[in-house]
Amino acid sequence: MIYREAGQFKTTYASDQQLFPILQDRVFVIGFLVFAFGVMPFIGTEYLFRAILVPFLILSLAAIGLNILVGYCGQVSLGTGAFMAVGAYAAYNLAIRVPDLNLIVVFLLSGVFSSLVGVLFGFPSLRIKGFYLAVATLAAQFFIDWLFARVKWFTNDSSSGSVSAPPLEIFGRVFDSPEEKYLLVLAFVCVFALIARNLTRGAIGRSWMATRDMDVAAEVIGIRPMAAKLSAFAVSSFFVGVAGALWAFVYLGSWEPLAFDVNRSFQLLFMIIIGGLGSILGSFLGAAFIVILPLVLNQLPRALGVSLSTEMVSHIEIMVFGALIVIFLIAEPRGLARLWAVGKEKLRLWPFPH
Amino acid sequence: MKTELRMKVAAAAMAVAGVLGVAVDSAAQSANEIFVPVLVYRTGAYAPNGVPWADGFVDYLKLVNARDGGVNGIKIAYEECETGYATDRGVECYERLKSKKPVAFSPLSTGISYALIDKVPQDKIVLITAGYGRADSVDGGDFKYVFPMLGTYWDAADILVQHVKKKGNLKGKKIALVYHDSPYGKEPIPVLEALSKIEGFELIKLPVTHPGVEQKATWLQVRQQRPDYVFLWGWGVMNSTSIKEAIAVSYPRLQMYGVWWSAAEPDVLPAEAAAKGYNGLALGHSAEKDAPIHKDMAKYLYEKGQGTAKSKDEVGSVLYNRGMLSAMLTIESIRAAQGKYGKRVVTGEEVQWGAEHLNLDAARIKALGVEGMMQPLKTSCADHAGVHKARVHTWDGSQWSYTSDWYESNSKVLAPIIKASADRYAAEKKFEKRDCSKEK
């Protein structure tokens, strides 16, 4: 009923191929964007922006990047944290060594660097796949961790190995307040989500998906596995690298290699598994689940007026969070995005299920 | 399936409501209290060391309320936030507690301190990093809101070298630095490198990755290279593992020196008697249980069942004392601010003035009940640490006891390193330094 498409006729190819062919989806997405850009900056608190929305948006971007690689192209990667680190340190070095460069350019260039490194570590994917590839990308993680911790040039000879980002100045304007930072990140994420959505709908995305589903068959129908796999690594690392640069500059401000250790890679992998492999929406849902839920669980006892000791709250948070992951994966192994799709199907038939 | 879905939607709605609820709730704070946030880690890999520190910190705040009725009649409100020693969670805690108008944070983590250093000047909240944090932040010209009181890692590195130099010329000797591979562990390296050139010893750097249970290879290197001294810059389970590995490769404990965060009970107790002879820097205090302040703790808190620690025996342990002193420095900064601005609820900006004009002389230290636990401390714009002294204490198999006199770090060596580092920070961040000679 709510999602009924009866009467929505597509008379041109263009209207059939648009991003959201269903009117309700379009209305919802536009409404959501208007809310996110126009209303949110006025009603949100500083805590909401700085501690919840900014990390959520940036990790969503990284999750989209990883989803392109794992969800769409089927190349399992455990090196996401490392590619984020490449983006972060590339942005830092560009900003420090070429101070006149516009920060937007810095972020995009750092994505390019990350993309190059991603392709380099993507070469093994031409020979190996599955768990074996996961282990090969894990090597990237450890190597890059080591590189940034040991080679002093990357940290501008910082004595403690911790580096600090210069002020966020873009076109002569310093993005300082939480609202500005939020809007900056939101703009980045929206543009990149749009790019990702279009890439995955087009020829290149289809070649990724064909490679994922059955690489031999894909090769037979004329898809070059090398181009498909390496382009997936390149695009994925580009997204992840930009996310890393944003994470370092906008969210952390000052960081050490530990901020991008193997735990970050696992966290991102869990995001796309729980959110839904091969889905842009799933990347957002998964990021929300992993970033926001623990914070909510941590604050829930106090908000409900239950007084518990700090360590008890912390333990409950970990237990409930773990249990929820198991429950969600049992209820819907294909992730939260699939849950949403099922919900949409039901709304289409509502109120007369048959 | 349908009810299941409905339940999920309800759960999600509740979760969102929870977050928003907290955000609204936190704005409501009693107008007649000063809020002191407490960032702690009572869980995770570093909990054994984090718990006594947190207990000491909270106990002191409780004591001020129970014994004195607050600071000059203004009660102290506090709230714990668990970081798990993770920098991102620490930053989240900071943002969460910020809305309650806090005056001073003490994160007990060099990583979190680094992350907050850029944020505190904007928010006008004092960051007190007693005995840890960024060493060049003693320069108040750059770091207006950061106070590494009691001493920095660079003081510690210099003092350790002074101490071993007393045992004989260091020329041609080898010193191994076994360090936690994080900003905390790397902090002393520039000073030790500078000193190795001056004194002529060879510095061997041996990093240990978080959390520090895997050290076999490190100690094989120690065995191979036979350094004359080992400086241990560890935290948490890393320290006790180092001591056990030293025993395994029979490296003499007498030649091992920990920084003050590597010289507490949780570090030596796992090896207990076998750790005999292990040395560490004492940041003024060691494990003291009989100071007047501890009697007050017993009288006002533990006898009434109000204590934070699980057992009364923990009161007076090394890390408990350090947590307590951190809280004490926070309270004294508030008191100093009240001295200038009036006996009311002071702001973070006013407490910054207080922390910068702190003057704890011997008489004041005695009045606070911590005599013998710290040296007189006087801060200024140019020196945010206030005191640069430490002594060595040694584990005799069952307890810590002092085995050296006071040392003061050599400012001739440290001043140029601090200046160079602070200047570079100002250049990277593109801001003008505050001129300390013009500050009153």
Side-chain angles (χ1 to χ4, degrees):
Chain A
M1 177 79 164
I2 294 172
Y3 255 97
R4 195 162 59 185
E5 296 151 51
Q8 298 185 26
F9 299 112
K10 309 283 187 300
T11 49
T12 59
Y13 283 117
S15 68
D16 197 31
Q17 285 173 354
Q18 60 186 315
L19 205 52
F20 299 102
I22 305 170
L23 177 71
Q24 288 90 332
D25 275 346
R26 261 196 315 276
V27 171
F28 179 74
V29 168
I30 291 170
F32 193 79
L33 285 178
V34 167
F35 177 78
F37 276 102
V39 183
M40 205 59 208
F42 297 102
I43 60 165
T45 60
E46 189 173 356
Y47 171 69
L48 194 64
F49 290 127
R50 279 192 199 268
I52 295 185
L53 290 177
V54 166
F56 157 68
L57 285 170
I58 299 174
L59 289 183
S60 301
L61 180 58
I64 292 173
L66 184 63
N67 222 335
I68 286 174
L69 189 64
V70 182
Y72 285 98
C73 197
Q75 310 295 311
V76 188
S77 165
L78 279 176
T80 330
F83 300 134
M84 276 181 87
V86 172
Y89 282 95
Y92 170 74
N93 279 301
L94 282 168
I96 290 289
R97 290 171 210 282
V98 196
D100 295 331
L101 212 57
N102 189 302
L103 266 190
I104 304 266
V105 181
V106 166
F107 290 153
L108 296 179
L109 273 181
S110 59
V112 173
F113 277 109
S114 172
S115 180
L116 293 175
V117 177
V119 169
L120 196 67
F121 281 95
F123 272 114
S125 71
L126 305 177
R127 282 295 172 90
I128 51 180
K129 50 187 168 184
F131 288 122
Y132 300 93
L133 182 63
V135 174
T137 49
L138 198 60
Q141 177 71 49
F142 291 133
F143 172 71
I144 287 168
D145 265 2
W146 172 88
L147 189 72
F148 291 132
R150 292 284 166 273
V151 181
K152 292 213 153 187
W153 187 83
F154 290 112
T155 54
N156 199 12
D157 292 314
S158 154
S159 60
S160 63
S162 174
V163 297
S164 199
L168 270 180
E169 194 182 321
I170 300 171
F171 300 122
R173 181 178 168 76
V174 180
F175 284 69
D176 231 0
S177 75
E179 293 85 4
E180 286 168 334
K181 285 186 172 178
Y182 159 76
L183 286 173
L184 176 73
V185 172
L186 185 67
F188 259 97
V189 173
C190 285
V191 171
F192 276 84
L194 188 71
I195 294 172
R197 183 91 175 90
N198 276 322
L199 273 178
T200 52
R201 284 177 344 134
I204 187 164
R206 292 190 191 283
S207 75
W208 291 340
M209 285 184 268
T211 313
R212 170 193 68 189
D213 293 339
M214 197 174 186
D215 48 357
V216 179
E219 207 172 345
V220 168
I221 59 169
I223 289 166
R224 285 182 302 147
M226 189 167 103
K229 285 177 177 174
L230 289 186
S231 63
F233 263 99
V235 173
S236 158
S237 314
F238 182 79
F239 277 55
V240 172
V242 172
L246 288 174
W247 186 254
F249 274 56
V250 183
Y251 179 58
L252 294 178
S254 153
W255 70 98
E256 48 179 307
L258 207 62
F260 302 103
D261 68 349
V262 70
N263 288 328
R264 183 73 62 210
S265 303
F266 285 133
Q267 200 188 23
L268 286 161
L269 197 62
F270 298 156
M271 274 179 202
I272 60 166
I273 291 173
I274 292 167
L277 287 167
S279 154
I280 303 296
L281 175 70
S283 310
F284 286 99
L285 295 177
F289 188 88
I290 299 274
V291 176
I292 302 179
L293 195 65
L295 299 181
V296 171
L297 288 173
N298 191 270
Q299 297 177 41
L300 211 54
R302 182 175 278 274
L304 295 176
V306 186
S307 141
L308 291 170
S309 69
T310 315
E311 62 263 45
M312 183 59 107
V313 171
S314 209
H315 289 143
I316 290 177
E317 173 202 324
I318 296 165
M319 285 189 290
V320 174
F321 184 60
L324 280 176
I325 290 178
V326 175
I327 292 168
F328 269 120
L329 286 181
I330 290 172
E332 184 48 87
R334 278 180 287 178
L336 299 171
R338 177 72 194 155
L339 220 53
W340 169 240
V342 170
K344 229 159 77 167
E345 282 301 315
K346 292 204 178 293
L347 285 176
R348 212 169 253 153
L349 303 174
W350 185 85
F352 305 116
H354 48 80
Chain B
M1 182 68 202
K2 233 179 134 188
T3 45
E4 203 184 353
L5 193 75
R6 212 173 283 155
M7 263 171 63
K8 278 168 195 160
V9 172
M14 222 173 81
V16 171
V19 169
L20 295 177
V22 170
V24 173
D25 161 71
S26 53
Q29 178 74 24
S30 167
N32 236 339
E33 288 175 334
I34 295 177
F35 181 66
V36 176
V38 194
L39 299 192
V40 297
Y41 35 102
R42 295 175 178 277
T43 60
Y46 300 90
N49 300 56
V51 170
W53 187 90
D55 289 342
F57 197 99
V58 173
D59 270 352
Y60 192 83
L61 299 181
K62 281 184 181 169
L63 181 71
V64 167
N65 281 342
R67 184 188 59 188
D68 317 332
V71 197
N72 287 323
I74 309 286
K75 288 255 185 195
I76 300 294
Y78 60 89
E79 184 181 324
E80 285 189 17
C81 187
E82 171 74 25
T83 68
Y85 200 65
T87 302
D88 51 349
R89 281 306 282 266
V91 173
E92 190 269 327
C93 279
Y94 170 82
E95 299 293 347
R96 192 195 301 179
L97 297 176
K98 201 164 78 181
S99 57
K100 299 197 169 188
K101 305 224 179 331
V103 290
F105 275 90
S106 298
L108 185 60
S109 150
T110 301
I112 301 175
S113 306
Y114 263 92
L116 295 184
I117 278 172
D118 294 338
K119 296 180 193 281
V120 286
Q122 288 172 14
D123 300 325
K124 301 207 176 354
I125 300 169
V126 173
L127 188 68
I128 293 180
T129 55
Y132 55 95
R134 190 175 167 135
D136 58 0
S137 61
V138 292
D139 184 346
D142 269 32
F143 301 92
K144 189 176 175 190
Y145 278 86
V146 187
F147 292 86
M149 289 179 189
L150 294 178
T152 68
Y153 293 135
W154 292 358
D155 294 328
D158 183 67
I159 288 169
L160 278 177
V161 172
Q162 282 186 39
H163 183 70
V164 295
K165 196 181 163 190
K166 259 195 170 173
K167 296 171 184 274
N169 195 348
L170 289 175
K171 197 154 232 103
K173 295 221 164 125
K174 285 188 202 167
I175 295 179
L177 174 70
V178 177
Y179 64 96
H180 192 262
D181 200 3
S182 67
Y184 154 61
K186 287 180 193 161
E187 198 67 44
I189 290 175
V191 169
L192 288 175
E193 275 174 347
L195 286 169
S196 78
K197 280 186 201 116
I198 297 170
E199 305 289 347
F201 62 83
E202 186 193 337
L203 180 67
I204 305 164
K205 289 176 280 187
L206 301 173
V208 173
T209 46
H210 155 91
V213 279
E214 191 47 71
Q215 295 183 32
K216 281 267 183 287
T218 310
W219 287 89
L220 282 178
Q221 269 177 286
V222 169
R223 197 164 96 168
Q224 202 178 31
Q225 308 212 19
R226 303 212 161 277
D228 298 275
Y229 302 102
V230 167
F231 290 175
L232 186 61
W233 230 269
W235 184 228
V237 69
M238 176 184 158
N239 292 331
S240 52
T241 312
S242 287
I243 293 171
K244 280 194 233 161
E245 292 293 341
I247 295 166
V249 301
S250 45
Y251 186 83
R253 261 74 70 211
L254 281 166
Q255 285 160 248
M256 284 175 74
Y257 292 87
V259 70
W260 40 66
W261 300 108
S262 306
E265 289 84 354
D267 309 326
V268 285
L269 281 178
E272 210 149 0
K276 189 176 171 187
Y278 173 71
N279 311 286
L281 279 181
L283 195 62
H285 67 89
S286 177
E288 272 118 350
K289 292 182 191 280
D290 300 319
I293 186 94
H294 298 119
K295 293 190 179 110
D296 280 356
M297 288 286 182
K299 187 175 154 196
Y300 288 96
L301 299 178
Y302 284 85
E303 277 165 21
K304 292 180 183 161
Q306 308 269 311
T308 317
K310 290 225 162 57
S311 136
K312 217 174 102 181
D313 300 335
E314 200 199 277
V315 174
S317 69
V318 174
L319 291 168
Y320 180 94
N321 282 343
R322 198 153 308 147
M324 197 178 75
L325 286 179
S326 287
M328 190 269 280
L329 291 169
T330 309
I331 296 294
E332 289 311 303
S333 302
I334 293 171
R335 204 187 299 278
Q338 284 179 331
K340 180 176 161 91
Y341 297 100
K343 290 174 182 168
R344 57 174 171 79
V345 177
V346 282
T347 64
E349 208 172 354
E350 288 160 354
V351 173
Q352 189 277 335
W353 187 91
E356 201 159 83
H357 295 80
L358 208 53
N359 186 5
L360 303 177
D361 54 13
R364 183 67 196 147
I365 288 171
K366 191 170 183 198
L368 285 166
V370 291
E371 201 179 12
M373 293 176 68
M374 62 179 286
Q375 287 290 291
L377 181 149
K378 191 172 191 309
T379 52
S380 65
C381 170
D383 180 9
H384 271 193
V387 58
H388 301 270
K389 289 179 181 171
R391 51 187 160 172
V392 175
H393 65 175
T394 305
W395 178 254
D396 69 2
S398 59
Q399 61 176 345
W400 292 102
S401 50
Y402 297 115
T403 48
S404 86
D405 282 337
W406 289 99
Y407 291 96
E408 180 157 16
S409 65
N410 186 349
S411 61
K412 275 199 193 110
V413 175
L414 296 185
I417 308 179
I418 290 172
K419 187 172 182 312
S421 179
D423 283 353
R424 201 170 66 186
Y425 178 83
E428 266 181 29
K429 289 284 172 186
K430 302 174 186 165
F431 69 79
E432 281 290 308
K433 282 184 74 141
R434 200 158 57 117
D435 188 356
C436 277
S437 59
K438 286 182 188 151
E439 297 280 326
K440 275 186 280 180

